[in-house]
Amino acid sequence: MAQPKNLGFDPAEIAQLKQECQEAGQKFVYFEDELNDEPDNVEEFVHVQFVGEYKGQEVIYDAVLYTLRLHYSSVVFEAAEKKAVKAFPKYVPMDQRSAKYKPNEALDEEVDIFIAEVIDEMEENEEIKLSEHIEIDEDFEYGIGIDVCLNVDEISEEVVTKFVDDFLTGSIRLDPTLYSFKTDHDE
């Protein structure tokens, strides 16, 4: 079976994105999707597209940029949820619940408290430490996918501009320092 053509390498698609970037007055455009529409993620996560070269060929890069704090929160939650599944064998994580799932509010409440306590303990003991990173997905369905995790307070337009400029010039420098965070319960 023939593999579908990756339109992120198509000259017409690239020309279209270049035009959109020119109209926006930037080297990138924001890609509108459901995650960008959530108020809680506006400052910590953005999805952009820009044109660059990959192995000597022009391509559309499809990039998500997110804060190290957001990534850390996700990793810690996943680790705490795994512990909850072991401690509460009848608990089914939200992302694994089928349409046939019968809610058990008492169990869910108990597990929520357990997860919060595990997260507090993991943060207090700095059990998980993460650093900035970039992951490139050559097999992405549209162009080349990039996941970018940066240790910044928010993913502002200035942060995106600097990343795209540094990425395109090959001068990107990531901080290899391992970080952990503590949840601010006052938020």
Side-chain angles (χ1 to χ4, degrees):
M1 185 167 151
Q3 191 165 343
K5 182 178 178 187
N6 185 331
L7 293 177
F9 287 88
D10 183 270
E13 294 280 325
I14 293 168
Q16 175 67 34
L17 182 58
K18 283 181 177 180
Q19 178 66 34
E20 291 174 23
C21 289
Q22 186 175 11
E23 289 170 7
Q26 303 180 117
K27 292 181 182 176
F28 63 91
V29 294
Y30 290 96
F31 186 84
E32 298 302 322
D33 60 21
E34 65 281 353
L35 290 175
N36 281 3
D37 293 339
E38 292 182 26
D40 292 345
N41 290 337
V42 169
E43 299 165 348
E44 294 188 282
F45 173 93
V46 297
H47 185 177
V48 298
Q49 292 182 333
F50 59 93
V51 175
E53 280 201 13
Y54 184 75
K55 296 184 179 178
Q57 186 177 1
E58 216 171 27
V59 67
I60 293 173
Y61 283 99
D62 190 294
V64 291
L65 288 80
Y66 46 91
T67 66
L68 186 59
R69 179 181 284 280
L70 178 67
H71 181 58
Y72 177 84
S73 295
S74 177
V75 169
V76 169
F77 179 81
E78 287 175 18
E81 190 175 56
K82 283 182 183 177
K83 289 183 179 188
V85 168
K86 286 181 182 175
F88 299 89
K90 292 184 179 179
Y91 174 71
V92 178
M94 294 291 246
D95 62 344
Q96 296 176 16
R97 295 180 181 178
S98 69
K100 296 177 183 178
Y101 175 79
K102 290 189 170 55
N104 183 338
E105 290 180 26
L107 177 63
D108 286 350
E109 188 174 324
E110 191 176 353
V111 170
D112 286 346
I113 292 168
F114 177 85
I115 287 174
E117 290 171 353
V118 170
I119 288 172
D120 285 345
E121 183 180 314
M122 293 172 89
E123 289 176 347
E124 189 63 38
N125 296 331
E126 296 185 349
E127 290 179 30
I128 295 177
K129 293 186 177 194
L130 304 171
S131 65
E132 292 184 330
H133 62 270
I134 296 175
E135 295 176 13
I136 296 178
D137 183 357
E138 296 177 350
D139 297 320
F140 201 66
E141 66 270 3
Y142 187 78
I144 300 292
I146 311 175
D147 276 10
V148 184
C149 181
L150 301 172
N151 188 23
V152 293
D153 290 333
E154 65 180 319
I155 304 295
S156 63
E157 190 167 308
E158 293 79 23
V159 168
V160 177
T161 299
K162 180 174 177 4
F163 167 76
V164 171
D165 287 344
D166 290 352
F167 185 84
L168 292 174
T169 60
S171 60
I172 189 114
R173 299 285 174 258
L174 299 177
D175 179 0
T177 307
L178 293 172
Y179 293 94
S180 63
F181 298 89
K182 292 198 175 21
T183 303
D184 184 1
H185 294 289
D186 295 334
E187 291 178 0

